[in-house]
Amino acid sequence: MNDEKAIPTPDQSDENFWATVLTPVDPAWNEPGDDDTFAMDEQVLDAVRSLAERISTRASAYRAAGKPFDAALMAAPDVQLALLRSLYEAKRSVDRLAESAATVAGRGGSSYAQLGAAWGGIKRQSARLKWPHAVPKKSASESIPLHYAGGDAVIHHDPGADAWWYTATGADLQEDEAEAVHSTSAEAIARATEFLLAHARPARHETA
């Protein structure tokens, strides 16, 4: 409770309103509980069912016949397919809204580490790949592709940490994503090469 009271709550008419609002508080959120997630499920389902009823051909037939769409009709497989299609649209909406929120947060001073933590705890590098334009770059550095021992890697620079990291897929299809801890691209390339060598396909033995 003391932490909550310490957070300033100015009115929009106050002269320091925007300066206060644009200064992030830490922590930015409290973990949602089961009641919160269940309530979210219900709200999402309400929105998705509304869309499903609008796009369902069976529901359209009932409307054309001047009949109400009984809730029991949701059990029809085709209506469930319409619901599934609506859920896909809901996912697209979430992705769009997430990109918008990440961009606003990033342009307001949040780091990729913070964006990743908010997005279910993904790594900073993954957050940067997911929302590449969310956080302004301090310096432009091109990614470096690497093909070695039958596998592939890409060496990246993290401007926020001023460090290098890599993503790699070995010839055996094993994957690795390094932390942004390498001080030079050469070090990151060396580590990626080690991984690709460790996950090369065994050499085939020719028989006479």
Side-chain angles (χ1 to χ4, degrees):
M1 294 299 294
N2 291 334
D3 289 341
E4 292 181 3
K5 291 180 179 179
I7 298 174
T9 57
D11 296 325
Q12 192 170 354
S13 58
D14 294 349
E15 62 179 14
N16 63 342
F17 175 79
W18 285 111
T20 303
V21 168
L22 295 178
T23 302
V25 298
D26 186 30
W29 74 89
N30 296 311
E31 287 297 325
D34 289 342
D35 289 344
D36 299 316
T37 55
F38 291 153
M40 176 68 75
D41 286 348
E42 292 177 357
Q43 293 170 9
V44 171
L45 181 58
D46 287 343
V48 170
R49 285 187 62 173
S50 177
L51 176 58
E53 290 183 19
R54 292 199 300 273
I55 66 175
S56 165
T57 52
R58 185 184 294 270
S60 296
Y62 270 77
R63 285 194 296 271
K67 296 181 179 180
F69 189 77
D70 193 284
L73 294 170
M74 290 298 299
D78 52 275
V79 176
Q80 286 296 305
L81 286 176
L83 183 68
L84 187 61
R85 185 64 178 81
S86 300
L87 285 164
Y88 171 73
E89 290 301 323
K91 179 181 180 298
R92 294 180 65 189
S93 293
V94 167
D95 290 340
R96 289 191 295 268
L97 294 171
E99 182 175 6
S100 176
T103 301
V104 173
R107 297 284 168 172
S110 298
S111 67
Y112 276 117
Q114 291 173 310
L115 298 185
W119 195 249
I122 64 174
K123 292 183 178 180
R124 173 177 53 198
Q125 299 94 318
S126 296
R128 186 167 71 86
L129 290 176
K130 187 173 184 63
W131 304 298
H133 305 296
V135 179
K137 294 182 179 180
K138 294 181 180 179
S139 62
S141 299
E142 293 185 0
S143 297
I144 305 169
L146 175 67
H147 181 74
Y148 195 72
D152 295 281
V154 181
I155 314 303
H156 308 277
H157 183 248
D158 186 333
D162 192 22
W164 293 83
W165 60 287
Y166 68 84
T167 55
T169 302
D172 60 355
L173 302 182
Q174 292 295 308
E175 298 180 349
D176 188 35
E177 179 178 323
E179 297 287 349
V181 295
H182 306 298
S183 58
T184 65
S185 59
E187 181 180 344
I189 290 172
R191 299 302 183 187
T193 301
E194 289 179 3
F195 174 81
L196 294 176
L197 279 173
H199 292 274
R201 290 194 185 96
R204 294 183 179 179
H205 298 285
E206 297 292 335
T207 57

